[in-house]
PDB file of all heavy atoms in Angstrom:
ATOM      1  N   MET A 100      -8.112   9.917  -8.361  1.00 96.00           N
ATOM      2  CA  MET A 100      -8.373  10.041  -6.931  1.00 96.00           C
ATOM      3  C   MET A 100      -8.915  11.438  -6.671  1.00 96.00           C
ATOM      4  O   MET A 100      -8.215  12.433  -6.910  1.00 96.00           O
ATOM      5  CB  MET A 100      -7.095   9.818  -6.139  1.00 96.00           C
ATOM      6  CG  MET A 100      -6.472   8.436  -6.319  1.00 96.00           C
ATOM      7  SD  MET A 100      -7.607   7.042  -6.167  1.00 96.00           S
ATOM      8  CE  MET A 100      -8.271   7.303  -4.532  1.00 96.00           C
ATOM      9  N   CYS A 101     -10.160  11.527  -6.192  1.00 93.00           N
ATOM     10  CA  CYS A 101     -10.743  12.852  -5.922  1.00 93.00           C
ATOM     11  C   CYS A 101     -11.874  12.739  -4.894  1.00 93.00           C
ATOM     12  O   CYS A 101     -12.501  11.691  -4.769  1.00 93.00           O
ATOM     13  CB  CYS A 101     -11.264  13.469  -7.206  1.00 93.00           C
ATOM     14  SG  CYS A 101     -12.575  12.526  -7.973  1.00 93.00           S
ATOM     15  N   PRO A 102     -12.133  13.841  -4.159  1.00 94.00           N
ATOM     16  CA  PRO A 102     -13.172  13.806  -3.119  1.00 94.00           C
ATOM     17  C   PRO A 102     -14.554  13.476  -3.670  1.00 94.00           C
ATOM     18  O   PRO A 102     -15.407  12.973  -2.957  1.00 94.00           O
ATOM     19  CB  PRO A 102     -13.146  15.222  -2.540  1.00 94.00           C
ATOM     20  CG  PRO A 102     -11.831  15.789  -2.930  1.00 94.00           C
ATOM     21  CD  PRO A 102     -11.478  15.166  -4.236  1.00 94.00           C
ATOM     22  N   GLN A 103     -14.783  13.739  -4.965  1.00 93.00           N
ATOM     23  CA  GLN A 103     -16.101  13.484  -5.563  1.00 93.00           C
ATOM     24  C   GLN A 103     -16.224  12.019  -6.032  1.00 93.00           C
ATOM     25  O   GLN A 103     -17.230  11.641  -6.611  1.00 93.00           O
ATOM     26  CB  GLN A 103     -16.324  14.392  -6.783  1.00 93.00           C
ATOM     27  CG  GLN A 103     -16.220  15.877  -6.500  1.00 93.00           C
ATOM     28  CD  GLN A 103     -14.791  16.371  -6.418  1.00 93.00           C
ATOM     29  OE1 GLN A 103     -13.844  15.646  -6.809  1.00 93.00           O
ATOM     30  NE2 GLN A 103     -14.593  17.549  -5.861  1.00 93.00           N
ATOM     31  N   GLY A 126      -3.764  14.349  -8.444  1.00 90.00           N
ATOM     32  CA  GLY A 126      -3.717  15.774  -8.749  1.00 90.00           C
ATOM     33  C   GLY A 126      -3.639  16.625  -7.506  1.00 90.00           C
ATOM     34  O   GLY A 126      -3.859  16.155  -6.399  1.00 90.00           O
ATOM     35  N   HIS A 127      -3.333  17.903  -7.768  1.00 82.00           N
ATOM     36  CA  HIS A 127      -3.323  18.901  -6.693  1.00 82.00           C
ATOM     37  C   HIS A 127      -4.173  20.066  -7.170  1.00 82.00           C
ATOM     38  O   HIS A 127      -5.040  19.888  -7.996  1.00 82.00           O
ATOM     39  CB  HIS A 127      -1.871  19.337  -6.426  1.00 82.00           C
ATOM     40  CG  HIS A 127      -1.124  18.302  -5.681  1.00 82.00           C
ATOM     41  ND1 HIS A 127      -0.749  18.456  -4.384  1.00 82.00           N
ATOM     42  CD2 HIS A 127      -0.733  17.065  -6.053  1.00 82.00           C
ATOM     43  CE1 HIS A 127      -0.144  17.353  -3.986  1.00 82.00           C
ATOM     44  NE2 HIS A 127      -0.120  16.505  -4.982  1.00 82.00           N
ATOM     45  N   TYR A 128      -3.848  21.251  -6.662  1.00 73.00           N
ATOM     46  CA  TYR A 128      -4.558  22.444  -7.108  1.00 73.00           C
ATOM     47  C   TYR A 128      -6.052  22.300  -6.844  1.00 73.00           C
ATOM     48  O   TYR A 128      -6.479  21.514  -6.008  1.00 73.00           O
ATOM     49  CB  TYR A 128      -4.294  22.717  -8.609  1.00 73.00           C
ATOM     50  CG  TYR A 128      -2.824  22.667  -8.942  1.00 73.00           C
ATOM     51  CD1 TYR A 128      -2.291  21.578  -9.625  1.00 73.00           C
ATOM     52  CD2 TYR A 128      -1.967  23.679  -8.511  1.00 73.00           C
ATOM     53  CE1 TYR A 128      -0.952  21.504  -9.888  1.00 73.00           C
ATOM     54  CE2 TYR A 128      -0.619  23.603  -8.789  1.00 73.00           C
ATOM     55  CZ  TYR A 128      -0.106  22.518  -9.464  1.00 73.00           C
ATOM     56  OH  TYR A 128       1.233  22.433  -9.714  1.00 73.00           O
ATOM     57  N   GLU A 129      -6.803  23.019  -7.648  1.00 75.00           N
ATOM     58  CA  GLU A 129      -8.256  23.017  -7.427  1.00 75.00           C
ATOM     59  C   GLU A 129      -8.899  21.785  -8.035  1.00 75.00           C
ATOM     60  O   GLU A 129     -10.034  21.480  -7.777  1.00 75.00           O
ATOM     61  CB  GLU A 129      -8.870  24.264  -8.083  1.00 75.00           C
ATOM     62  CG  GLU A 129      -8.473  25.538  -7.360  1.00 75.00           C
ATOM     63  CD  GLU A 129      -8.583  25.396  -5.853  1.00 75.00           C
ATOM     64  OE1 GLU A 129      -9.696  25.150  -5.361  1.00 75.00           O
ATOM     65  OE2 GLU A 129      -7.543  25.468  -5.177  1.00 75.00           O
ATOM     66  N   GLY A 130      -8.125  21.100  -8.897  1.00 81.00           N
ATOM     67  CA  GLY A 130      -8.762  19.938  -9.531  1.00 81.00           C
ATOM     68  C   GLY A 130      -8.253  19.745 -10.935  1.00 81.00           C
ATOM     69  O   GLY A 130      -7.163  20.198 -11.282  1.00 81.00           O
ATOM     70  N   TYR A 131      -9.031  19.062 -11.724  1.00 90.00           N
ATOM     71  CA  TYR A 131      -8.595  18.575 -13.036  1.00 90.00           C
ATOM     72  C   TYR A 131      -9.456  19.171 -14.138  1.00 90.00           C
ATOM     73  O   TYR A 131     -10.642  19.390 -13.925  1.00 90.00           O
ATOM     74  CB  TYR A 131      -8.775  17.063 -13.125  1.00 90.00           C
ATOM     75  CG  TYR A 131      -8.217  16.254 -12.016  1.00 90.00           C
ATOM     76  CD1 TYR A 131      -8.897  16.121 -10.798  1.00 90.00           C
ATOM     77  CD2 TYR A 131      -7.016  15.587 -12.168  1.00 90.00           C
ATOM     78  CE1 TYR A 131      -8.387  15.347  -9.777  1.00 90.00           C
ATOM     79  CE2 TYR A 131      -6.502  14.817 -11.137  1.00 90.00           C
ATOM     80  CZ  TYR A 131      -7.184  14.705  -9.950  1.00 90.00           C
ATOM     81  OH  TYR A 131      -6.679  13.943  -8.936  1.00 90.00           O
ATOM     82  N   ARG A 136     -11.650  13.632 -16.869  1.00 96.00           N
ATOM     83  CA  ARG A 136     -12.721  12.786 -16.326  1.00 96.00           C
ATOM     84  C   ARG A 136     -13.543  12.183 -17.470  1.00 96.00           C
ATOM     85  O   ARG A 136     -13.891  11.019 -17.456  1.00 96.00           O
ATOM     86  CB  ARG A 136     -13.667  13.632 -15.480  1.00 96.00           C
ATOM     87  CG  ARG A 136     -13.272  13.822 -14.052  1.00 96.00           C
ATOM     88  CD  ARG A 136     -14.461  14.451 -13.285  1.00 96.00           C
ATOM     89  NE  ARG A 136     -14.159  14.526 -11.879  1.00 96.00           N
ATOM     90  CZ  ARG A 136     -13.532  15.566 -11.301  1.00 96.00           C
ATOM     91  NH1 ARG A 136     -13.178  16.586 -12.038  1.00 96.00           N
ATOM     92  NH2 ARG A 136     -13.265  15.549 -10.009  1.00 96.00           N
ATOM     93  N   LEU A 144     -12.293   7.531  -7.645  1.00 98.00           N
ATOM     94  CA  LEU A 144     -12.389   6.937  -6.311  1.00 98.00           C
ATOM     95  C   LEU A 144     -12.076   7.964  -5.224  1.00 98.00           C
ATOM     96  O   LEU A 144     -11.237   8.855  -5.431  1.00 98.00           O
ATOM     97  CB  LEU A 144     -11.380   5.793  -6.184  1.00 98.00           C
ATOM     98  CG  LEU A 144     -11.768   4.413  -6.708  1.00 98.00           C
ATOM     99  CD1 LEU A 144     -10.703   3.399  -6.310  1.00 98.00           C
ATOM    100  CD2 LEU A 144     -13.121   3.982  -6.194  1.00 98.00           C
ATOM    101  N   SER A 145     -12.750   7.821  -4.089  1.00 98.00           N
ATOM    102  CA  SER A 145     -12.441   8.636  -2.912  1.00 98.00           C
ATOM    103  C   SER A 145     -12.182   7.705  -1.732  1.00 98.00           C
ATOM    104  O   SER A 145     -12.849   6.675  -1.598  1.00 98.00           O
ATOM    105  CB  SER A 145     -13.629   9.551  -2.572  1.00 98.00           C
ATOM    106  OG  SER A 145     -13.450  10.104  -1.280  1.00 98.00           O
ATOM    107  N   ILE A 146     -11.215   8.065  -0.885  1.00 98.00           N
ATOM    108  CA  ILE A 146     -10.953   7.206   0.283  1.00 98.00           C
ATOM    109  C   ILE A 146     -11.746   7.678   1.487  1.00 98.00           C
ATOM    110  O   ILE A 146     -11.621   7.121   2.567  1.00 98.00           O
ATOM    111  CB  ILE A 146      -9.452   7.115   0.629  1.00 98.00           C
ATOM    112  CG1 ILE A 146      -8.858   8.479   0.958  1.00 98.00           C
ATOM    113  CG2 ILE A 146      -8.677   6.419  -0.483  1.00 98.00           C
ATOM    114  CD1 ILE A 146      -7.481   8.391   1.605  1.00 98.00           C
ATOM    115  N   GLY A 147     -12.562   8.725   1.317  1.00 98.00           N
ATOM    116  CA  GLY A 147     -13.366   9.187   2.453  1.00 98.00           C
ATOM    117  C   GLY A 147     -13.800  10.624   2.249  1.00 98.00           C
ATOM    118  O   GLY A 147     -13.261  11.323   1.379  1.00 98.00           O
ATOM    119  N   TYR A 149     -13.257  13.669   3.026  1.00 97.00           N
ATOM    120  CA  TYR A 149     -12.408  14.731   3.556  1.00 97.00           C
ATOM    121  C   TYR A 149     -11.469  15.161   2.424  1.00 97.00           C
ATOM    122  O   TYR A 149     -11.248  14.417   1.465  1.00 97.00           O
ATOM    123  CB  TYR A 149     -11.593  14.256   4.774  1.00 97.00           C
ATOM    124  CG  TYR A 149     -11.090  12.848   4.658  1.00 97.00           C
ATOM    125  CD1 TYR A 149      -9.904  12.573   3.980  1.00 97.00           C
ATOM    126  CD2 TYR A 149     -11.818  11.789   5.188  1.00 97.00           C
ATOM    127  CE1 TYR A 149      -9.452  11.277   3.852  1.00 97.00           C
ATOM    128  CE2 TYR A 149     -11.359  10.487   5.070  1.00 97.00           C
ATOM    129  CZ  TYR A 149     -10.175  10.232   4.403  1.00 97.00           C
ATOM    130  OH  TYR A 149      -9.740   8.948   4.284  1.00 97.00           O
ATOM    131  N   VAL A 150     -10.926  16.353   2.559  1.00 96.00           N
ATOM    132  CA  VAL A 150     -10.115  16.945   1.491  1.00 96.00           C
ATOM    133  C   VAL A 150      -8.638  16.879   1.861  1.00 96.00           C
ATOM    134  O   VAL A 150      -8.260  17.215   2.992  1.00 96.00           O
ATOM    135  CB  VAL A 150     -10.525  18.424   1.275  1.00 96.00           C
ATOM    136  CG1 VAL A 150      -9.641  19.066   0.225  1.00 96.00           C
ATOM    137  CG2 VAL A 150     -11.987  18.505   0.877  1.00 96.00           C
ATOM    138  N   LEU A 151      -7.823  16.399   0.944  1.00 96.00           N
ATOM    139  CA  LEU A 151      -6.372  16.313   1.170  1.00 96.00           C
ATOM    140  C   LEU A 151      -5.679  17.238   0.181  1.00 96.00           C
ATOM    141  O   LEU A 151      -6.287  17.726  -0.769  1.00 96.00           O
ATOM    142  CB  LEU A 151      -5.912  14.868   0.967  1.00 96.00           C
ATOM    143  CG  LEU A 151      -6.577  13.853   1.908  1.00 96.00           C
ATOM    144  CD1 LEU A 151      -6.366  12.435   1.422  1.00 96.00           C
ATOM    145  CD2 LEU A 151      -6.059  14.007   3.324  1.00 96.00           C
ATOM    146  N   THR A 152      -4.371  17.444   0.388  1.00 93.00           N
ATOM    147  CA  THR A 152      -3.653  18.381  -0.497  1.00 93.00           C
ATOM    148  C   THR A 152      -3.460  17.783  -1.894  1.00 93.00           C
ATOM    149  O   THR A 152      -3.183  18.495  -2.840  1.00 93.00           O
ATOM    150  CB  THR A 152      -2.249  18.684   0.079  1.00 93.00           C
ATOM    151  OG1 THR A 152      -1.585  17.420   0.260  1.00 93.00           O
ATOM    152  CG2 THR A 152      -2.357  19.406   1.413  1.00 93.00           C
ATOM    153  N   GLY A 153      -3.586  16.468  -1.986  1.00 94.00           N
ATOM    154  CA  GLY A 153      -3.370  15.867  -3.304  1.00 94.00           C
ATOM    155  C   GLY A 153      -3.885  14.443  -3.333  1.00 94.00           C
ATOM    156  O   GLY A 153      -4.279  13.900  -2.314  1.00 94.00           O
ATOM    157  N   GLY A 154      -3.832  13.831  -4.494  1.00 96.00           N
ATOM    158  CA  GLY A 154      -4.332  12.470  -4.656  1.00 96.00           C
ATOM    159  C   GLY A 154      -3.323  11.384  -4.316  1.00 96.00           C
ATOM    160  O   GLY A 154      -3.623  10.190  -4.399  1.00 96.00           O
ATOM    161  N   PRO A 157      -4.280   9.174  -1.096  1.00 98.00           N
ATOM    162  CA  PRO A 157      -5.360   8.252  -1.472  1.00 98.00           C
ATOM    163  C   PRO A 157      -4.893   7.132  -2.410  1.00 98.00           C
ATOM    164  O   PRO A 157      -5.275   5.973  -2.222  1.00 98.00           O
ATOM    165  CB  PRO A 157      -6.354   9.162  -2.176  1.00 98.00           C
ATOM    166  CG  PRO A 157      -6.126  10.506  -1.590  1.00 98.00           C
ATOM    167  CD  PRO A 157      -4.652  10.577  -1.321  1.00 98.00           C
TER     168      PRO A 157
HETATM  169  C1  4G4 B 310      -6.732  19.380  -4.116  1.00 52.76           C
HETATM  170  N1  4G4 B 310      -7.999  18.751  -4.036  1.00 52.76           N
HETATM  171  C2  4G4 B 310      -8.895  19.169  -3.021  1.00 52.76           C
HETATM  172  C3  4G4 B 310      -8.491  17.997  -5.070  1.00 52.76           C
HETATM  173  C4  4G4 B 310      -9.533  18.466  -5.880  1.00 52.76           C
HETATM  174  C5  4G4 B 310     -10.021  17.667  -6.918  1.00 52.76           C
HETATM  175  C6  4G4 B 310      -9.461  16.441  -7.137  1.00 52.76           C
HETATM  176  C7  4G4 B 310      -8.419  15.968  -6.340  1.00 52.76           C
HETATM  177  C8  4G4 B 310      -7.911  16.751  -5.310  1.00 52.76           C
HETATM  178  C9  4G4 B 310      -6.750  16.241  -4.495  1.00 52.76           C
HETATM  179  N2  4G4 B 310      -7.196  16.034  -3.106  1.00 52.76           N
HETATM  180  C10 4G4 B 310      -7.884  14.942  -2.722  1.00 52.76           C
HETATM  181  C11 4G4 B 310      -7.988  13.821  -3.522  1.00 52.76           C
HETATM  182  C12 4G4 B 310      -8.721  12.738  -3.049  1.00 52.76           C
HETATM  183  C13 4G4 B 310      -9.323  12.800  -1.793  1.00 52.76           C
HETATM  184  C14 4G4 B 310     -10.113  11.644  -1.248  1.00 52.76           C
HETATM  185  N3  4G4 B 310     -10.976  11.879  -0.248  1.00 52.76           N
HETATM  186  O1  4G4 B 310      -9.955  10.522  -1.734  1.00 52.76           O
HETATM  187  C15 4G4 B 310      -9.184  13.942  -1.050  1.00 52.76           C
HETATM  188  N4  4G4 B 310      -8.480  14.987  -1.506  1.00 52.76           N
END
Side-chain angles (χ1 to χ4, degrees):
M100 299 312 303
C101 62
Q103 302 79 13
H127 285 251
Y128 311 105
E129 291 315 299
Y131 310 80
R136 274 191 174 88
L144 276 188
S145 167
I146 60 167
Y149 38 84
V150 177
L151 300 165
T152 55

